[in-house]
Amino acid sequence: MPSKQIYDKLRSLTLFQGLDISDINEVIGYTKFSFAKVETGDNIIHEGDHCNQLTIILNGKISITSHAANRSYNITETISAPIALQPEHLFGLFQQYTKTVVAAAPCQIMMLHKSEVVRLMQEYDIIRMNITNHIATKAQKADLPLWRQAPESLRERIIAFVARRCLRPAGSKTIHIRMADLAREVCDSRRDVSHELNLMQDQGLISLSRETIHIHALEKLFT
């Protein structure tokens, strides 16, 4: 990729925000970037893969799938680039990806080996702060729901169940789950959950098929 394009892409990424022009040019000149192109449907990351590099989606669109610990359900969300895929896993105890990522449209990917990321963190305080802020923000977001008032209505509990398991509180989401499992998760009866979901479908908020709930735009469920 030409240096001008790399420059423009780096400036758009949270990881490199705050660097001045000379710093970004220095990063481009002394950093070993790897690039790849993937087509729609290609696997980018598989859950359980060892994480030894930072993977950044420069353009395109990806689908990210997360599974319940007991594999009883999964949630897939579609996210547009740019996005850095789970950089906190580079420094975690197990260093394994917890989600599966597939190209939902042709994508261009930039990769940085862990050693390069560590070097950049050592040389640039801003990059170190950006990664630290990212991890701290995720920890804070995980803590906040514990102190919020519990959702009262069944619809609110269904929405909260989905929203708390998604990376972004907007966009399309697809949940593969049995009605009995969802009822157990939201502490209600299977019949009442089915009734509420059908009401949401009649209102054009979701689409239902066998053991599948497709949310057209999660943000619309909060209005």
Side-chain angles (χ1 to χ4, degrees):
M1 176 182 287
S3 296
K4 178 62 168 63
Q5 287 182 265
I6 298 177
Y7 175 84
D8 292 338
K9 295 297 183 181
L10 291 186
R11 291 195 64 187
S12 70
L13 296 170
T14 302
L15 179 64
F16 299 98
Q17 285 181 359
L19 292 178
D20 59 29
I21 295 175
S22 61
D23 285 336
I24 292 181
N25 285 330
E26 191 173 79
V27 168
I28 294 172
Y30 293 97
T31 304
K32 297 177 181 178
F33 296 101
S34 297
F35 296 92
K37 290 184 178 180
V38 294
E39 299 301 325
T40 303
D42 287 350
N43 186 280
I44 299 173
I45 288 173
H46 193 274
E47 178 186 357
D49 285 351
H50 182 70
C51 180
N52 59 7
Q53 65 183 18
L54 177 62
T55 302
I56 299 171
I57 310 300
L58 296 174
N59 52 46
K61 191 177 295 184
I62 57 175
S63 293
I64 302 178
T65 300
S66 307
H67 288 268
N70 63 1
R71 318 300 286 187
S72 63
Y73 65 87
N74 66 69
I75 297 177
T76 297
E77 50 188 318
T78 302
I79 298 178
S80 297
I83 179 174
L85 297 176
Q86 303 169 304
E88 63 274 16
H89 294 335
L90 276 175
F91 313 104
L93 179 61
F94 299 107
Q95 298 180 329
Q96 289 183 326
Y97 288 109
T98 58
K99 305 177 188 299
T100 294
V101 181
V102 176
C107 297
Q108 188 168 39
I109 303 172
M110 181 174 73
M111 293 156 286
L112 282 172
H113 192 270
K114 178 178 180 179
S115 60
E116 288 291 291
V117 178
V118 171
R119 181 184 62 79
L120 290 172
M121 291 177 64
Q122 292 172 339
E123 294 181 4
Y124 300 94
D125 291 340
I126 292 176
I127 292 179
R128 183 166 63 251
M129 290 176 62
N130 287 340
I131 291 180
T132 302
N133 287 338
H134 169 82
I135 297 173
T137 299
K138 290 199 69 173
Q140 184 181 42
K141 288 181 178 180
D143 183 63
L144 284 175
L146 298 176
W147 302 100
R148 291 176 181 154
Q149 180 178 348
E152 296 180 359
S153 70
L154 174 55
R155 179 171 295 197
E156 289 174 341
R157 293 199 299 276
I158 294 173
I159 295 171
F161 167 78
V162 177
R164 289 172 181 171
R165 289 160 175 79
C166 291
L167 293 176
R168 295 184 178 176
S172 65
K173 319 290 178 184
T174 301
I175 305 97
H176 296 282
I177 188 169
R178 295 182 303 175
M179 199 68 67
D181 290 329
L182 179 57
R184 183 169 56 253
E185 292 287 345
V186 299
C187 301
D188 214 307
S189 70
R190 185 186 183 284
R191 183 185 65 180
D192 287 348
V193 169
S194 177
H195 176 70
E196 187 62 42
L197 290 176
N198 277 284
L199 283 178
M200 294 169 72
Q201 179 171 239
D202 291 342
Q203 293 167 359
L205 298 172
I206 66 174
S207 298
L208 301 174
S209 57
R210 182 175 177 81
E211 298 184 0
T212 302
I213 304 167
H214 178 68
I215 298 173
H216 307 306
L218 182 59
E219 66 273 19
K220 292 184 178 180
L221 300 187
F222 297 103
T223 59

